[in-house]
Amino acid sequence: MPDWKEEIQHRLASLKLELTREAEIVEELAQHLEDRYAELLIGGADKDEARRVAIEELRDRKLLARELRRIEHQVNREPVVLGGRKMNMLGDLWQDLRYGLRMLLKHPSFTAVAVITLALGIGANTAIFSLIDAVLLKMLPVQRPEELVEFSRSSEHGSGTSFSYPAFEQFRDRNQSLSGVLTVSKTSLRLTGDGDTESPQGQYVSGNFFSLLGVEAWLGRTITPQDDTPSDAGSPVAVISYGLWQRRFGGDPSVVGAQTAVEEKPFTIIGVTPPEFFGLQPGSAPDFWIPIAAEPLVRSKSWLRQSDFNWLSVVGRLKPGISTATARSDLEVIFSQLLDERAARIQNEHNRQVFLAQRIGVEPAGNGLSRLRQQFSKPLLILMALVGLVLLIACANIASLLLARAASRRRELAIRLAMGASRSRLVRQILTESVLLACIGGLAGLLFAFWAGGFIVAFMSSGETRIVLHLRPDASILGFTTLASLLTGILFGLAPALKATLLDPGPALKEQALTLGGGRSGGQLGRSLVVSQVALSLLLVAGAGLFTGSLRNLKALDAGFNRDNVLMVNLNPGKAGYKDARLAMFYERVVERAALVPGVRSVSLSRLTPISGGGWDLSASVEGYTPQPNEDPTVYVNGVSPGYFETLGTTLLLGRDFGKQDRQNTPKVALINETMMKHYFSGANPIGRRVTLGGREPMEIIGVVKDARYMSLREEIHRTVYVNCLQDATVDGSLTLEVQTVGDPSGIIAPLRNEIGALDSSVPLTGFGTLARQVDNSLIQERLVATLSGFFGGMALLLACIGLYGVMSYNVARRTSEIGIRLALGAGRANILWIVLRECLLLVSLGIAIGAPVALVAGRLAASEISGLLFGLSATDASTIALAAVALTGVAMLAAYLPARRAMRVDPLVALRYE
């Protein structure tokens, strides 16, 4: 390669330029000539011809004159004064950026590795932040969202945000601190008819829902209080979302006034909501809304006037100048009166006191209702901490690479110092290159973030509830990415930049063999960065091990039932007019017909399915049992049909199962679980004893079954009573059909639908799914954290591996002469291998020695935050940390093996002449 700098310096000698300016011109024109020389060689010219043409173009194109004019123009411009020092800031910055970009393009391999590393680190942080912004931070797209508050209630058994409709009416009519109170249902409705396979989901809302939120219709009008009156229930109305209007109606304006079917009942569409409106729940996207007064038309057994049935979310808007504390005090009076009225009907003293101990809460709702926040806020914050560690590891990794690259630039930096460049200018140049690199990585990371964000949202939506989050690059996300990129660039560029200030130009110009970061101190800094990577990686890998192990424990848990090969489908013959004996007869025929489908082993019915998140509890009194003072008498209750325990694989321990002889006109019977038998009967045989639920007719206990979990896999086993759903008059007509199959349950969906349709095609069939999928959906938080923490842990291992490989490769190259001498003196190849591996093992051991105590301390500090995501493991599980240390050590040995193998193959004669 020709020495372009010498040629240019020769041409500049007569101009007597300032040394700094001359160095800048030499550097820029040398890069230009080098690029032109390479272009000519690729075009077929030989080396001499390429050099001659490049020099000739320098003279013919007057590049030198043009560059001089540019420099002269910068010098003669009005300077900017900062602290008494004259600086042409914009010109210098532009020059630094151009030079930094050329240096990055000059080393494409290094740039590619650094950009990919930063894109993963910054992109992962941006992806998680965008989810946190959408779920936790962003305000609702309504008028003055900061005035909205959500009602909640709490007791010794937990908290909730559901209220009955009569309670909502009391809050709405009697409060003094709110300008309005609205309600929206937590249950979903379906649009039906039109032969469409899509099943849009909707909600009940109060008549003031849209007006109180300040949401105006995009087309037509919204629901008003006049629409939400029983007198108008004969001609009910509906408002549809902009998305549904586009998908189902093609954006046709004539949809206003058209008819649609909600749960088979006719409704008139009166309007379309704006595109940005999604209701009150971030992550949800209701397709339509109907007045809550129309609920009795849609549901066969109305909940509207049931004061003991909580199914509504209640939201209020504060009056100007009213605080949430004042509103809470106001609502506590109303809530206490509601509790007193209902408590009068509770006979059990313990239950009555627990009921009266409830308290109402008022929380800000400007960010939306709390369901999605409660479900995913903790996992997202944990993941944010994990990706923060990933970014720190990436910074340490790139800092190591920059230190290694600094070795090849020592002579360049020494020349610039010798020619008059200030150390601050060199620091600024190196930091500019680092920030430029980080910004390129941040731009790539932004693209990765929105791909990853979409993937995570899809993962979150794999549960029972569809989650819709539109992650767009708005100002907050772009600001976060920009800030992360700038801080990252400064962080990993600081060490190489500061090393430049310690450079002595005299010795550096004489050096022939360059060392990492400048001698021993640079090597020590590189090793320190590797040790820090190992320590941080240990934290990530240990965290991934905890979350993955917890998920594995939950999946391996004996839940008391067999989750495999069980298909479930919801039946609601009540909507087709079935009642009482006719309803029971229909269900019996359904079981008989379903059992005839090829591939079916057993069939049953139940009111509640395992791990569905729902529950039914009643107070119980057992014949011959005297309760302890203040003992909680409530038990779980489930209505099941004969064959239920066989279908789900729950073992019958004593007595018998329900049979065909147990009908509505025969004495009521029940089965209980092991926990209930131990509590009430102290291990004695309970068969033949009687249990009374909720003051109803006593039931004879005919059997005992194995304990099973119903609300969630994490719950403690509760005392449970199973009643015969075909005997129980409280069933409102909706049950779930469970079918155990020989093979894949999806294969019997079509024939099963045909069999039930042959009995009565008007009976709605919904919710086809498997029990295994339902159990998996209940673990969505655990799967999300385990999957992503595992991915981030893998990234940490990869980055640590790259860092170790780089350091060990450099050390092997630096010690080539030493290795040659050792080999010449008779050292074996195995000895050389051990020397290299021992150095790597020392670095890893130091990292583990630092990281292990930090992991234990971090586990103790975060125990309360992550305990809800752990199962069967503690946050300070020593075995998990030990396994993480073993994994890191194994990866480190693999990373060091290639440089060690290269060291073993050194030729002593070549090594002794190596410089």
Side-chain angles (χ1 to χ4, degrees):
M1 183 71 68
D3 190 351
W4 307 112
K5 294 183 179 181
E6 182 179 347
E7 178 72 28
I8 298 168
Q9 286 171 342
H10 173 71
R11 293 175 181 274
L12 295 176
S14 61
L15 300 179
K16 307 296 184 182
L17 295 173
E18 181 185 343
L19 292 178
T20 302
R21 295 296 182 188
E22 180 178 336
E24 292 169 352
I25 295 173
V26 168
E27 190 66 41
E28 291 197 17
L29 290 181
Q31 182 65 47
H32 172 82
L33 294 179
E34 184 177 328
D35 293 342
R36 181 58 178 151
Y37 178 77
E39 180 183 340
L40 292 168
L41 289 179
I42 294 174
D46 59 30
K47 294 182 179 180
D48 292 338
E49 178 66 16
R51 184 181 186 283
R52 186 189 65 76
V53 171
I55 295 296
E56 190 67 25
E57 286 187 2
L58 176 65
R59 181 169 55 253
D60 292 346
R61 294 189 180 186
K62 301 180 180 179
L63 291 177
L64 182 59
R66 187 169 69 247
E67 192 66 21
L68 286 171
R69 284 197 300 271
R70 184 183 67 81
I71 295 296
E72 183 179 3
H73 175 67
Q74 289 181 354
V75 171
N76 293 333
R77 275 190 309 181
E78 185 66 21
V80 178
V81 179
L82 279 179
R85 184 182 176 188
K86 295 183 177 180
M87 298 176 60
N88 187 352
M89 293 191 301
L90 291 177
D92 288 347
L93 178 61
W94 174 242
Q95 190 176 42
D96 288 344
L97 288 173
R98 289 179 58 195
Y99 182 74
L101 185 59
R102 283 205 309 269
M103 293 302 295
L104 295 180
L105 294 176
K106 190 176 179 180
H107 302 88
S109 298
F110 163 80
T111 303
V113 171
V115 167
I116 292 174
T117 301
L118 287 170
L120 291 174
I122 297 175
N125 278 267
T126 301
I128 301 301
F129 174 79
S130 65
L131 290 170
I132 290 176
D133 181 56
V135 174
L136 304 179
L137 304 178
K138 191 171 291 183
M139 301 296 278
L140 292 171
V142 300
Q143 290 185 9
R144 303 186 306 281
E146 67 280 359
E147 296 177 358
L148 298 179
V149 291
E150 180 183 12
F151 295 13
S152 63
R153 53 188 175 82
S154 59
S155 69
E156 65 179 51
H157 294 307
S159 61
T161 56
S162 298
F163 295 87
S164 67
Y165 186 76
F168 156 71
E169 289 181 310
Q170 293 294 311
F171 294 141
R172 179 193 62 192
D173 299 336
R174 296 174 52 191
N175 83 85
Q176 302 296 320
S177 55
L178 304 169
S179 59
V181 179
L182 63 83
T183 189
V184 57
S185 68
K186 292 190 171 185
T187 57
S188 294
L189 299 162
R190 297 178 304 111
L191 281 187
T192 53
D194 299 336
D196 199 338
T197 56
E198 180 191 22
S199 183
Q201 303 292 303
Q203 295 175 323
Y204 300 105
V205 295
S206 55
N208 64 342
F209 179 80
F210 292 100
S211 60
L212 189 61
L213 294 177
V215 176
E216 297 182 355
W218 179 268
L219 182 70
R221 68 177 180 87
T222 59
I223 296 170
T224 65
Q226 289 71 34
D227 299 313
D228 189 28
T229 57
S231 61
D232 197 45
S235 55
V237 298
V239 170
I240 64 174
S241 70
Y242 183 90
L244 182 65
W245 180 47
Q246 294 292 323
R247 295 194 315 271
R248 188 156 179 156
F249 301 99
D252 185 1
S254 65
V255 70
V256 175
Q259 293 281 314
T260 190
V262 178
E263 301 287 354
E264 312 294 344
K265 300 296 189 297
F267 280 71
T268 301
I269 298 174
I270 60 171
V272 179
T273 59
E276 67 275 7
F277 182 69
F278 53 78
L280 289 177
Q281 177 62 67
S284 68
D287 296 302
F288 65 94
W289 296 264
I290 66 172
I292 199 168
E295 186 264 355
L297 297 177
V298 176
R299 186 176 282 121
S300 58
K301 187 175 181 180
S302 175
W303 297 342
L304 205 59
R305 291 299 159 195
Q306 295 189 26
S307 61
D308 59 348
F309 202 92
N310 299 314
W311 60 292
L312 298 170
S313 295
V314 181
V315 172
R317 183 180 287 279
L318 295 170
K319 290 181 178 179
I322 299 297
S323 66
T324 55
T326 302
R328 184 183 300 111
S329 300
D330 177 24
L331 294 169
E332 278 179 351
V333 177
I334 303 172
F335 190 59
S336 296
Q337 292 174 356
L338 289 171
L339 293 179
D340 290 338
E341 293 173 5
R342 288 184 56 191
R345 302 195 298 269
I346 302 176
Q347 297 180 355
N348 183 274
E349 180 62 25
H350 177 270
N351 286 358
R352 182 164 51 251
Q353 294 303 321
V354 170
F355 183 80
L356 289 171
Q358 293 183 86
R359 293 292 179 266
I360 192 168
V362 179
E363 302 297 336
N367 304 109
L369 301 186
S370 59
R371 181 187 61 79
L372 197 67
R373 293 200 300 273
Q374 290 174 347
Q375 186 178 11
F376 288 109
S377 61
K378 185 176 291 186
L380 288 176
L381 292 175
I382 290 172
L383 291 173
M384 194 72 213
L386 295 180
V387 294
L389 289 177
V390 170
L391 189 56
L392 285 177
I393 295 171
C395 288
N397 191 281
I398 296 178
S400 298
L401 294 176
L402 286 174
L403 282 172
R405 200 183 71 155
S408 63
R409 298 183 63 183
R410 280 172 56 83
R411 190 173 182 83
E412 169 206 336
L413 297 176
I415 291 174
R416 295 183 69 176
L417 285 170
M419 295 181 70
S422 66
R423 296 184 185 275
S424 62
R425 178 61 190 276
L426 294 185
V427 170
R428 192 178 71 197
Q429 175 63 59
I430 295 173
L431 282 178
T432 301
E433 293 177 28
S434 301
V435 171
L436 181 61
L437 183 63
C439 289
I440 297 172
L443 183 61
L446 194 63
L447 301 176
F448 170 75
F450 286 99
W451 173 84
F455 170 79
I456 297 172
V457 170
F459 197 107
M460 293 164 64
S461 297
S462 62
E464 289 291 335
T465 304
R466 181 184 57 160
I467 295 175
V468 180
L469 291 172
H470 300 290
L471 305 179
R472 300 184 180 92
D474 57 16
S476 60
I477 294 174
L478 291 176
F480 174 85
T481 306
T482 302
L483 182 61
S485 300
L486 292 175
L487 292 178
T488 299
I490 294 172
L491 186 61
F492 70 70
L494 201 57
L498 292 178
K499 289 300 297 179
T501 66
L502 304 177
L503 184 65
D504 187 349
L509 289 171
K510 299 176 183 178
E511 286 184 2
Q512 296 298 320
L514 307 177
T515 58
L516 174 63
R520 181 175 178 82
S521 63
Q524 288 297 107
L525 182 56
R527 293 186 184 91
S528 299
L529 289 171
V530 169
V531 170
S532 67
Q533 285 185 69
V534 172
L536 292 173
S537 298
L538 182 66
L539 290 175
L540 270 173
V541 176
L546 286 174
F547 295 125
T548 304
S550 296
L551 181 62
R552 183 182 61 249
N553 291 343
L554 284 167
K555 287 186 172 182
L557 179 69
D558 181 9
F561 57 84
N562 179 18
R563 67 191 76 178
D564 298 323
N565 298 332
V566 176
L567 178 71
M568 302 182 300
V569 56
N570 298 325
L571 304 174
N572 197 345
K575 289 190 175 182
Y578 288 90
K579 295 180 180 179
D580 302 328
R582 185 166 171 258
L583 177 64
M585 184 177 297
F586 175 81
Y587 276 128
E588 289 178 358
R589 293 179 63 191
V590 166
V591 171
E592 291 172 359
R593 295 293 291 266
L596 298 177
V597 175
V600 171
R601 283 181 173 171
S602 61
V603 183
S604 65
L605 298 160
S606 70
R607 182 170 184 176
L608 299 172
T609 55
I611 319 300
S612 60
W616 178 24
D617 55 64
L618 292 171
S619 61
S621 61
V622 176
E623 180 183 26
Y625 176 80
T626 302
Q628 299 295 321
N630 296 322
E631 178 181 326
D632 183 4
T634 57
V635 298
Y636 275 12
V637 182
N638 193 9
V640 303
S641 74
Y644 172 83
F645 303 108
E646 177 188 358
T647 302
L648 267 67
T650 300
T651 305
L652 180 67
L653 302 176
L654 292 174
R656 68 174 179 88
D657 192 1
F658 299 121
K660 291 185 177 181
Q661 70 273 26
D662 303 312
R663 297 180 176 273
Q664 286 190 346
N665 57 355
T666 61
K668 300 297 186 290
V669 292
L671 286 88
I672 62 174
N673 69 344
E674 292 177 273
T675 298
M676 185 157 179
M677 180 179 70
K678 293 174 183 176
H679 180 82
Y680 287 105
F681 302 100
S682 302
N685 192 332
I687 305 300
R689 304 281 286 274
R690 293 182 177 275
V691 58
T692 301
L693 299 177
R696 301 172 184 173
E697 178 183 349
M699 296 179 292
E700 180 185 350
I701 298 174
I702 61 172
V704 179
V705 295
K706 183 180 178 181
D707 284 337
R709 288 174 166 81
Y710 274 83
M711 293 286 286
S712 73
L713 291 177
R714 293 177 176 275
E715 71 173 345
E716 296 181 1
I717 300 296
H718 291 269
R719 305 188 296 270
T720 306
V721 178
Y722 298 93
V723 300
N724 190 333
C725 63
L726 301 182
Q727 276 191 317
D728 185 16
T730 63
V731 175
D732 62 5
S734 177
L735 293 176
T736 299
L737 179 72
E738 297 99 6
V739 182
Q740 187 188 75
T741 62
V742 175
D744 183 6
S746 61
I748 70 162
I749 292 178
L752 183 64
R753 191 190 295 271
N754 293 335
E755 287 290 342
I756 299 175
L759 285 175
D760 191 337
S761 59
S762 66
V763 174
L765 305 180
T766 59
F768 280 92
T770 65
L771 181 57
R773 179 65 180 273
Q774 182 163 290
V775 173
D776 283 344
N777 288 344
S778 73
L779 301 175
I780 183 66
Q781 293 184 68
E782 290 83 355
R783 287 195 294 121
L784 175 68
V785 175
T787 301
L788 293 183
S789 65
F791 174 73
F792 298 143
M795 284 180 59
L797 284 175
L798 177 62
L799 292 174
C801 181
I802 293 173
L804 282 165
Y805 175 79
V807 168
M808 299 313 300
S809 294
Y810 168 76
N811 286 344
V812 167
R814 183 172 58 84
R815 299 175 64 181
T816 301
S817 297
E818 174 197 339
I819 293 172
I821 293 173
R822 288 178 180 272
L823 289 171
L825 293 176
R829 305 284 178 179
N831 292 336
I832 301 300
L833 175 66
W834 171 240
I835 288 173
V836 177
L837 293 182
R838 181 179 60 191
E839 184 173 358
C840 176
L841 190 60
L842 176 62
L843 295 177
V844 174
S845 299
L846 285 173
I848 292 174
I850 295 171
V854 173
L856 289 172
V857 173
R860 290 193 181 94
L861 294 176
S864 60
E865 296 298 323
I866 67 174
S867 59
L869 293 171
L870 299 180
F871 184 83
L873 291 171
S874 69
T876 56
D877 186 69
S879 60
T880 302
I881 297 175
L883 287 174
V886 171
L888 267 171
T889 304
V891 168
M893 293 297 100
L894 181 63
Y897 176 72
L898 294 178
R901 188 179 178 189
R902 192 160 56 246
M904 292 167 56
R905 296 180 176 180
V906 168
D907 186 335
L909 294 179
V910 174
L912 290 173
R913 294 194 297 269
Y914 179 80
E915 291 185 351

